[in-house]
């Protein structure tokens, strides 16, 4: 069943989406070589609690952490670990918060220090593909129109692998609601987009093959060929005219710009 949100509910969700983005920015400010992803997870969890919210992912189907932190060949659902970050790492951070009865959910990929031009391009194209999808998130379109736009841009135009095993989703009182929002598919298929629908659009794009596998931790999803993946996610509300993007990259881009020595410009 698809749940449509009232104007008041959308504003509660916007606040949560922006809290997620502020959390991502706080994490970004702590990223540096030598820091562990477990330390970043603790920083995020503390910030979320300090803002009278709870971490949506912690305990979700048994997930033990506040954040999914996926480094290099990890695509999504990465377990924070004791491994220290090094220059050249690509780190995708996915955070959810729950407050006032609703969830926010957003993800962002950072490049640390010197990374290859091919990887910078993957990050740029993945981020751009998110907006290609959002352009299609209009009343009367279908989820397949979003999917097609993302796949055309990333896979057909740039030759990247679009992960098939994981998809975007409706968002609201539950972290994952109907409808599913894939990053691949046919135009004119899938659920029809109506006013008040909130969806998380989240391209998960691999530099090489689309194929992935589960790490032995049972959660972390890695590329089958060991090459890098990127992941950006916005919460978007369908409304008259253009979609309303509830989350914002402003805080994360500000964090990147505040440390141009550290974060790769892509
Ligand atoms: Mg997410
Ligand atoms: Mg999501």
């Amino acid at each position: 069943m698809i749940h449509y949100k009232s104007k008041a509910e959308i504003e509660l969700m916007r606040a949560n989406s922006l809290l997620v983005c502020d959390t991502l920015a706080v994490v970004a400010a702590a990223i540096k070589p030598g820091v562990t992803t477990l330390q970043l997870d603790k920083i995020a969890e503390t910030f979320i609690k300090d803002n009278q919210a709870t971490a949506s992912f912690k305990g979700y189907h048994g997930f033990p952490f506040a954040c999914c932190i996926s480094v290099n060949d990890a695509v999504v659902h990465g377990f924070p670990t004791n491994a220290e970050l090094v220059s050249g790492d690509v780190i995708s951070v996915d955070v959810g918060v729950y407050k006032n009865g609703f969830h926010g959910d957003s993800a962002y990929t950072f490049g640390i220090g010197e990374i290859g031009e091919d990887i910078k391009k993957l990050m740029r194209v993945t981020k751009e593909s998110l907006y290609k999808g959002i352009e299609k998130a209009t009343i009367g379109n279908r989820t397949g129109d979003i999917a097609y736009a993302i796949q055309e841009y990333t896979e057909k135009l740039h030759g990247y692998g679009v992960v098939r095993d994981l998809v975007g989703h409706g968002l609201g009182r539950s972290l994952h609601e109907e409808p599913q929002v894939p990053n691949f598919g046919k135009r004119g298929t899938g659920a029809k987009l109506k006013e008040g629908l909130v969806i998380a659009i989240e391209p998960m794009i691999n530099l090489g093959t689309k194929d992935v596998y589960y790490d032995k931790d049972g959660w972390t999803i890695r590329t089958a060929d060991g090459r890098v993946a990127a992941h950006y996610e916005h919460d978007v509300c369908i409304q008259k005219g253009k979609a309303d993007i509830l989350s914002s990259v402003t805080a994360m881009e500000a964090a990147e710009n505040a440390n141009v020595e550290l974060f790769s410009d892509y």
Side-chain angles (χ1 to χ4, degrees), residues 57 94-96 105-107 169 202 231 233:
F57 300 171
D94 193 352
V95 175
D105 180 14
S106 193
H169 50 91
E202 48 179 318
H231 178 213
E233 177 179 24

Side-chain angles (χ1 to χ4, degrees), residues 225-241:
D225 60 6
R227 299 180 78 190
V228 169
H231 178 213
Y232 295 85
E233 177 179 24
H234 266 320
D235 301 334
V236 165
C237 180
I238 310 301
Q239 59 170 19
K240 290 196 180 76

Side-chain angles (χ1 to χ4, degrees), residues 96-200:
V97 303
Y98 180 77
K99 186 173 179 176
N100 296 321
F102 291 91
H103 292 273
D105 180 14
S106 193
Y108 200 86
T109 299
F110 301 92
I112 305 175
E114 287 301 311
I115 62 172
E117 289 303 320
D118 56 341
I119 295 171
K120 288 183 187 176
K121 187 178 164 200
L122 170 75
M123 291 167 65
R124 187 174 68 244
V125 167
T126 303
K127 199 178 193 181
E128 287 167 352
S129 77
L130 174 55
Y131 294 94
K132 301 277 181 196
I134 291 170
E135 276 174 27
K136 300 295 176 189
T138 55
I139 292 173
N141 270 0
R142 292 179 182 270
T143 51
D145 296 302
I146 298 169
Y148 180 85
I150 293 170
Q151 186 179 17
E152 279 288 298
Y153 191 62
T154 55
E155 198 168 86
K156 196 159 181 196
L157 190 62
H158 290 286
Y160 297 139
V162 177
V163 175
R164 303 297 201 271
D165 304 57
L166 300 143
V167 295
H169 50 91
L171 183 72
R173 292 191 181 276
S174 299
L175 180 60
H176 294 125
E177 296 186 352
E178 289 182 40
Q180 291 197 339
V181 185
N183 301 304
F184 54 90
K186 290 191 173 69
R187 281 182 286 195
T189 65
K192 206 164 201 175
L193 306 176
K194 296 181 188 170
E195 190 169 5
L197 173 65
V198 177
I199 51 175

Side-chain angles (χ1 to χ4, degrees), residues 20-160:
V20 170
C21 296
D22 287 342
T23 308
L24 288 168
V26 166
V27 169
I31 289 175
K32 61 181 177 191
V35 82
T36 72
T37 51
L38 262 178
Q39 289 171 318
L40 297 178
D41 183 69
K42 277 285 157 242
I43 287 166
E45 187 171 11
T46 301
F47 184 79
I48 292 167
K49 280 184 185 160
D50 287 349
N51 282 278
Q52 294 76 49
T54 53
S56 301
F57 300 171
K58 194 156 191 179
Y60 186 78
H61 293 290
F63 189 80
F65 302 103
C67 308
C68 299
I69 305 183
S70 307
V71 181
N72 296 332
D73 66 316
V75 185
V76 286
H77 301 170
F79 259 29
T81 72
N82 272 320
E84 293 181 358
L85 293 172
V86 297
S87 178
D89 279 342
V90 174
I91 170 173
S92 298
V93 186
D94 193 352
V95 175
V97 303
Y98 180 77
K99 186 173 179 176
N100 296 321
F102 291 91
H103 292 273
D105 180 14
S106 193
Y108 200 86
T109 299
F110 301 92
I112 305 175
E114 287 301 311
I115 62 172
E117 289 303 320
D118 56 341
I119 295 171
K120 288 183 187 176
K121 187 178 164 200
L122 170 75
M123 291 167 65
R124 187 174 68 244
V125 167
T126 303
K127 199 178 193 181
E128 287 167 352
S129 77
L130 174 55
Y131 294 94
K132 301 277 181 196
I134 291 170
E135 276 174 27
K136 300 295 176 189
T138 55
I139 292 173
N141 270 0
R142 292 179 182 270
T143 51
D145 296 302
I146 298 169
Y148 180 85
I150 293 170
Q151 186 179 17
E152 279 288 298
Y153 191 62
T154 55
E155 198 168 86
K156 196 159 181 196
L157 190 62
H158 290 286
Y160 297 139

